[in-house]
Amino acid sequence: MKYDYFIADVFTTQLFNGAQIAVFPNADGLSDTTMKLLARELNMSETVFVFHPDDSDNKRKMRVFTPTKEVDFAGHPIIATAYILGCCGDIALTEPITHLVLEQNAGPIDVNITAVDGKPTFVQFARKVVSIIDRFAPTDEELASFLSIKQSELDHKKYSPRLVSCGFPYLIVPVWNYATVRQAKFNSAAWSQSIAPQTAAQEILLFAPKTPFVDSDFNARLLGSRIGIYDDPPIGSAMPAFAAYLCSFAHTQKGTHVFAVDRGDAESRRSVINLEMDNKGHEQLALRVGGAAVLFAQGTIDLGTCTK
């Protein structure tokens, strides 16, 4: 009744950056109640429990829990899980690229693990999403007020604010400069007095097409009424909506686009998400999301006489 677990920093190549995810690579036998208790005890943004169906070499079932609930799909845990399964030897990395299927409650996800000398260096997974895009947005005056920025900092030349949903609606707002993204502060009073709540979006994805880092093309940040004023949470869940947003502009040419989006800065657990999207003008948008990870810690939990 001892269970090994690992903690990985995800979407980064440096310790103390990215998002921290806990992974139990062999959770066979654990009950829902115990998984919930373990996730609450570890108190990570997500904790993953991996199961081995039918002794398959390249398929695993993963269940993802926050400290308060189970979630049906999450992107960061895919990167963490594939990386940890490669690190601990649960998945043999004998080839430069190893294919793996990770099944979440939302369905199976195709994953490729890139390895050097049998060690994972990069993980990429594929998704197809359908988006709903609404060009209705609050006025510049309202946007500036609830983001605590100047109207002149909003970008209307190449992009414009739009509401985009791939299952969860985001109000996506472009600005000119990286500094604006970093310095913005959500003003809940101004938000409640604007038309923004009528859009059904509860979170704002604020982004700039400029970044001081050579490994990224965009800097993005989530803000909203359910996010602390100084928080800078992971943005992985918003990336399908962001990709669909980019494809909604006529100047985004048809074809495959490769780019990177970073979150945070050197002082706030910076993450770098690598994206590939196939813009074919179809209803479904094919995405490939990739990133690196590093092992932060590992340990063993002895459940003792705890009921499984």
Side-chain angles (χ1 to χ4, degrees):
M1 297 188 65
K2 293 183 179 180
Y3 289 86
D4 295 331
Y5 71 95
F6 299 79
I7 298 174
D9 289 342
V10 178
F11 288 121
T12 182
T13 57
Q14 296 181 320
L15 287 174
F16 310 111
N17 281 274
Q20 281 198 316
I21 307 293
V23 179
F24 286 77
N26 190 345
D28 296 312
L30 287 177
S31 68
D32 288 8
T33 298
T34 304
M35 287 188 285
K36 291 176 184 177
L37 290 171
L38 288 170
R40 188 173 68 186
E41 185 73 13
L42 291 176
N43 201 33
M44 299 283 152
S45 59
E46 285 112 355
T47 297
V48 182
F49 299 90
V50 181
F51 299 86
H52 299 67
D54 305 322
D55 296 322
S56 173
D57 289 337
N58 71 333
K59 184 176 181 180
R60 300 289 185 271
K61 168 72 175 178
M62 55 182 289
R63 294 181 63 182
V64 183
F65 289 80
T66 72
T68 59
K69 64 180 181 180
E70 183 174 10
V71 295
D72 291 332
F73 176 84
H76 287 70
I78 295 174
I79 305 295
T81 300
Y83 176 80
I84 291 302
L85 292 180
C87 279
C88 72
D90 186 83
I91 296 292
L93 303 180
T94 56
E95 302 293 332
I97 297 178
T98 300
H99 177 255
L100 172 67
V101 176
L102 290 176
E103 185 175 351
Q104 297 196 28
N105 290 346
I109 305 293
D110 286 308
V111 182
N112 285 327
I113 307 173
T114 300
V116 175
D117 296 328
K119 302 296 182 182
T121 58
F122 189 81
V123 178
Q124 184 185 67
F125 66 90
R127 287 192 71 193
K128 290 184 178 180
V129 298
V130 176
S131 62
I132 298 174
I133 299 174
D134 190 342
R135 301 189 182 191
F136 171 79
T139 65
D140 283 4
E141 181 180 3
E142 290 175 316
L143 291 169
S145 65
F146 60 67
L147 291 170
S148 306
I149 63 176
K150 298 177 182 178
Q151 291 186 47
S152 60
E153 294 177 283
L154 295 166
D155 175 8
H156 280 288
K157 185 175 182 179
K158 188 173 183 180
Y159 301 106
S160 61
R162 292 181 180 177
L163 181 72
V164 183
S165 175
C166 293
F168 184 88
Y170 293 93
L171 179 60
I172 302 182
V173 180
V175 294
W176 292 108
N177 297 313
Y178 170 87
T180 303
V181 177
R182 305 306 309 144
Q183 295 168 7
K185 291 183 176 60
F186 182 76
N187 185 320
S188 57
W191 171 269
S192 63
Q193 294 171 11
S194 73
I195 64 168
Q198 300 175 30
T199 67
Q202 296 298 312
E203 295 182 0
I204 305 156
L205 184 69
L206 185 67
F207 81 94
K210 298 176 182 177
T211 168
F213 301 97
V214 297
D215 60 351
S216 59
D217 303 290
F218 298 93
N219 179 261
R221 181 180 170 198
L222 284 172
L223 303 99
S225 57
R226 299 181 294 188
I227 300 172
I229 189 171
Y230 296 108
D231 288 350
D232 196 354
I235 59 172
S237 59
M239 289 301 95
F242 183 63
Y245 168 87
L246 295 177
C247 290
S248 72
F249 291 90
H251 58 72
T252 302
Q253 297 180 352
K254 296 293 189 296
T256 298
H257 296 261
V258 180
F259 55 96
V261 183
D262 74 352
R263 178 216 60 85
D265 54 34
E267 304 301 322
S268 60
R269 301 193 67 89
R270 180 173 179 263
S271 300
V272 180
I273 300 175
N274 293 272
L275 295 171
E276 296 179 7
M277 64 182 187
D278 298 329
N279 181 25
K280 297 182 178 180
H282 298 164
E283 181 182 12
Q284 281 193 334
L285 175 62
L287 292 175
R288 291 170 294 281
V289 182
V294 289
L295 179 63
F296 175 73
Q298 65 184 90
T300 301
I301 292 178
D302 188 350
L303 295 178
T305 58
C306 219
T307 302
K308 292 193 291 181

